[in-house]
């Protein structure tokens, strides 16, 4: 739900300002969203995912080391790949 701050009744605006801890400007919008609480992944699951990520990073680092390319060249290639994915170029 989206509300223009300048259209809020005085009581509602005051309550929101108290909740967020500062005054709101008339040109702002208030977005209200109710979310279900996220379930924290189990510690074992998080650890396994962390280990998988660090293994993947280690492999990428080793591949970069073995490529005989400079860090600048590797950065340039990564930037080009990201640009291609983002903008289709």
């Amino acid at each position: 739900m989206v509300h223009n701050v300048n259209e809020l009744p005085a009581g509602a605006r005051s309550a929101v300002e108290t909740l967020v801890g500062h005054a709101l400007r008339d040109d702002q919008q208030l977005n209200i969203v109710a979310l279900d609480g996220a379930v924290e992944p189990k510690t074992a699951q998080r650890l396994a995912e962390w280990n998988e990520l660090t293994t993947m990073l280690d492999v990428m680092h080793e591949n970069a080391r073995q490529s005989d390319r400079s860090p600048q060249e590797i950065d340039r290639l990564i930037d080009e790949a990201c640009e291609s994915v983002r903008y289709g170029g």
Side-chain angles (χ1 to χ4, degrees):
M1 170 183 320
V2 178
H3 297 278
N4 293 318
V5 170
N6 64 348
E7 296 174 358
L8 291 174
R13 182 174 179 157
S14 177
V16 171
E17 289 174 336
T18 299
L19 186 64
V20 298
H22 60 82
L24 300 173
R25 295 187 324 267
D26 283 340
D27 64 335
Q28 290 180 306
Q29 288 187 328
L30 178 65
N31 296 298
I32 300 172
V33 178
L35 303 171
D36 292 331
V39 177
E40 273 294 309
K42 296 183 174 136
T43 303
Q45 178 185 354
R46 292 180 72 167
L47 182 58
E49 290 169 357
W50 177 256
N51 289 336
E52 182 180 340
L53 176 62
T54 56
T55 299
M56 185 183 336
L57 291 172
D58 289 343
V59 168
M60 292 169 60
H61 181 263
E62 182 60 21
N63 289 342
R65 188 187 68 73
Q66 290 181 12
S67 74
D68 293 328
R69 294 185 187 265
S70 70
Q72 294 81 9
E73 177 70 6
I74 292 170
D75 285 344
R76 186 185 64 73
L77 291 169
I78 291 169
D79 290 343
E80 286 178 6
C82 289
E83 289 291 316
S84 176
V85 169
R86 286 185 191 127
Y87 305 113

